[in-house]
């Protein structure tokens, strides 16, 4: 019984940690996506201009 209780507590703490991390990261997603898009475009342009 103690093992099952510890496992359920671990599951609950894991779910809580994932939820808190999601709440912290979710507002930043638009900035991350737009930053990746800008870096990709700039890298493509740099690659095209510096190619042999």
């Amino acid at each position: 019984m103690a093992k099952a209780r510890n496992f359920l507590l671990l599951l609950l703490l894991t779910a809580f940690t994932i939820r808190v991390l999601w709440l912290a990261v979710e507002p930043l997603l638009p900035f991350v996506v737009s930053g990746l898009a800008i870096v990709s475009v700039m890298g493509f342009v740099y690659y095209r201009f510096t190619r042999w």
Side-chain angles (χ1 to χ4, degrees):
M1 186 67 175
K3 276 189 177 184
R5 192 175 337 148
N6 285 340
F7 180 72
L8 289 174
L9 182 64
L10 179 65
L11 226 60
L12 186 65
L13 286 174
T14 305
F16 181 72
T17 303
I18 290 172
R19 178 74 175 146
V20 168
L21 286 175
W22 176 251
L23 289 176
V25 170
E26 193 224 352
L28 302 175
L29 282 179
F31 299 109
V32 171
V33 170
S34 58
L36 280 173
I38 290 170
V39 167
S40 297
V41 168
M42 295 299 285
F44 180 74
V45 168
Y46 178 77
Y47 171 74
R48 293 298 258 168
F49 277 129
T50 59
R51 219 170 47 162
W52 289 88

